[in-house]
Amino acid sequence: MSTIILAIESSCDETSAAIIKDGFVLSNIIATQDVHKEFGGVVPELASRAHQQNIIPVVDQALKAAKIDKTALSAIAFTRGPGLLGALIVGTSFAKALTLGLDIPLIEVNHMQAHILAHFIDEPKPVFPFLCLTVSGGHTQIVLVNDFLDMRVIGETKDDAAGEAFDKSAKLLGLEYPGGPLIDNLAAQGDESKYIFAKSNMPGYDFSFSGLKTSVLYFLKKMLKEDPEFINKHINDLAAGIQKAIIDMLTEKLIMAAKKHQISHIAIAGGVSANQGLRKEITRLAVLNNWHIYFPALEYCTDNAAMIAIAAHFKFKKNDFVGLDIAPLARMPLI
Ligand code: KG4
Ligand code: ZN
């Protein structure tokens, strides 16, 4: 008999629902909340309200696109954490109510684990063990992945996440939220060696990105005093310099971790893994270091429910279900 799972993602500012049948994604509907743009970042209260409005239409659309009736579902999966608590509560409560109504099992999914498992939606699939650089708006981690559900964080950021570093620097350049993709596009036309920003030096495989934002802030203040049009005139080169600093900090630690753990299979995941500059640099490093590299399809980089669905697919196989007393977690360790 086929296993058909409905997965729901509501950890931040994307309301998403996906249907997966025996490991094949049939639909993946994502409603992005534009309401946060004018505030320069995600406003938690507004995110919860938007999830509340979007969730039923998004789930309906996912079922329709997959041509699946809800009575055919084998289980419901939801993002338990980490994320914004109010946002998580919407998806969690909806998933619980639906499993209660349909009398089917409930599966909890860790959002960060799901970002990594997104690699198992399409070919080529990574070979175990591999290292995954997970870079999103909330997290930056180097993860040693031994099996589908056996993962260990070996390095992480001690302050801002890589996505936050992109977004906060973009804000200083006057760009709207989320600034990561905008910096990516501007940087593609800029000279990365024109403006060099300070990089942190953390021990081991850990990261720190908060210094970059300060370095950009002070530099811009100084230059704007001399020329109020400085940003507008040099935006491409500024974006390229900021992007290079972030990519260098990420890849430096990734190279160290790959050498130390003698791992040549390297993956990237999370919203920042969509970055063209990062993909180009990892591709260059793969040649130098003999790496086999894995990039997720762009639609599976930023938040989506298909990644929750594939994680749930592996959990369903292990009968890894949870009871209706389960509560979401704003902070949730990887394992
Ligand atoms: O994984 P994600 O969708 O949400 C979280 O779990 O946080 O990641 C969102 C982050 C944002 O900071 C956004 O600016 C960044 O990913 N991002 C990018 C790109 N696309 C998304 N950063 C740099 N370049 C991109 N192309
Ligand atoms: Zn995410």
Side-chain angles (χ1 to χ4, degrees):
M1 212 177 89
S2 289
T3 302
I4 306 173
I5 304 170
L6 162 68
I8 293 163
E9 155 64 31
S10 73
S11 66
C12 192
D13 58 343
E14 255 95 27
T15 317
S16 182
I19 304 286
I20 194 165
K21 183 178 179 183
D22 299 327
F24 292 97
V25 173
L26 300 182
S27 64
N28 181 36
I29 305 295
I30 305 167
T32 301
Q33 305 176 357
D34 289 332
V35 61
H36 308 286
K37 270 200 170 130
E38 62 179 295
F39 297 98
V42 177
V43 184
E45 170 89 20
L46 295 180
S48 311
R49 289 180 195 206
H51 284 306
Q52 194 68 46
Q53 283 176 327
N54 293 342
I55 194 147
I56 291 182
V58 165
V59 167
D60 269 347
Q61 253 180 286
L63 286 163
K64 271 202 194 96
K67 298 192 171 61
I68 295 287
D69 188 86
K70 60 181 181 303
T71 54
L73 294 173
S74 317
I76 314 281
F78 69 100
T79 304
R80 185 180 183 196
L84 302 170
L85 200 62
L88 290 164
I89 284 174
V90 178
T92 307
S93 306
F94 187 85
K96 281 190 196 184
L98 208 52
T99 56
L100 193 62
L102 297 170
D103 195 21
I104 53 176
L106 180 65
I107 302 172
E108 56 137 32
V109 171
N110 181 306
H111 181 88
M112 299 313 292
Q113 228 178 48
H115 267 303
I116 297 172
L117 293 174
H119 280 282
F120 294 92
I121 296 174
D122 289 332
E123 300 292 341
K125 292 172 180 155
V127 173
F128 297 116
F130 66 91
L131 285 181
C132 188
L133 175 70
T134 316
V135 272
S136 72
H139 291 79
T140 299
Q141 299 176 329
I142 298 180
V143 182
L144 173 59
V145 188
N146 288 312
D147 205 343
F148 297 113
L149 301 169
D150 177 4
M151 311 177 178
R152 185 162 63 89
V153 177
I154 60 171
E156 62 190 331
T157 183
K158 294 297 169 197
D159 42 55
D160 290 351
E164 250 179 308
F166 269 105
D167 297 338
K168 287 179 177 174
S169 305
K171 201 171 173 181
L172 295 173
L173 294 180
L175 303 170
E176 65 180 18
Y177 178 86
L182 304 175
I183 293 223
D184 190 0
N185 289 335
L186 294 168
Q189 298 148 54
D191 175 356
E192 62 180 23
S193 59
K194 199 143 177 212
Y195 302 112
I196 297 178
F197 295 103
K199 292 176 206 156
S200 67
N201 197 6
M202 293 294 284
Y205 310 123
D206 288 336
F207 305 95
S208 165
F209 291 101
S210 62
L212 173 68
K213 164 190 77 197
T214 318
S215 155
V216 174
L217 176 69
Y218 285 119
F219 177 72
L220 290 179
K221 265 193 180 163
K222 191 178 104 199
M223 299 313 279
L224 286 170
K225 247 188 216 158
E226 291 168 20
D227 177 5
E229 284 305 307
F230 178 76
I231 293 179
N232 289 342
K233 283 183 193 160
H234 303 282
I235 190 124
N236 293 345
D237 297 336
L238 287 164
I242 291 164
Q243 180 166 294
K244 179 170 169 48
I246 297 171
I247 292 173
D248 283 354
M249 284 190 265
L250 291 171
T251 50
E252 216 169 84
K253 297 300 172 98
L254 188 60
I255 297 166
M256 271 170 59
K259 280 199 179 130
K260 176 79 198 309
H261 290 267
Q262 297 196 334
I263 290 183
S264 60
H265 291 264
I266 309 286
I268 54 173
V272 179
S273 70
N275 186 269
Q276 299 167 60
L278 178 63
R279 287 177 173 227
K280 211 163 133 194
E281 179 61 4
I282 300 242
T283 306
R284 190 185 73 83
L285 290 170
V287 177
L288 289 178
N289 296 286
N290 261 324
W291 287 348
H292 304 266
I293 49 171
Y294 306 92
F295 298 157
L298 287 179
E299 67 173 311
Y300 302 137
C301 288
T302 43
D303 290 349
N304 66 89
M307 69 184 198
I308 307 302
I310 191 79
H313 164 76
F314 296 122
K315 290 194 142 193
F316 188 96
K317 281 198 198 170
K318 293 186 147 199
N319 288 326
D320 190 349
F321 305 128
V322 290
L324 288 173
D325 57 347
I326 194 93
L329 297 170
R331 287 168 173 269
M332 187 176 177
L334 198 63
I335 298 296

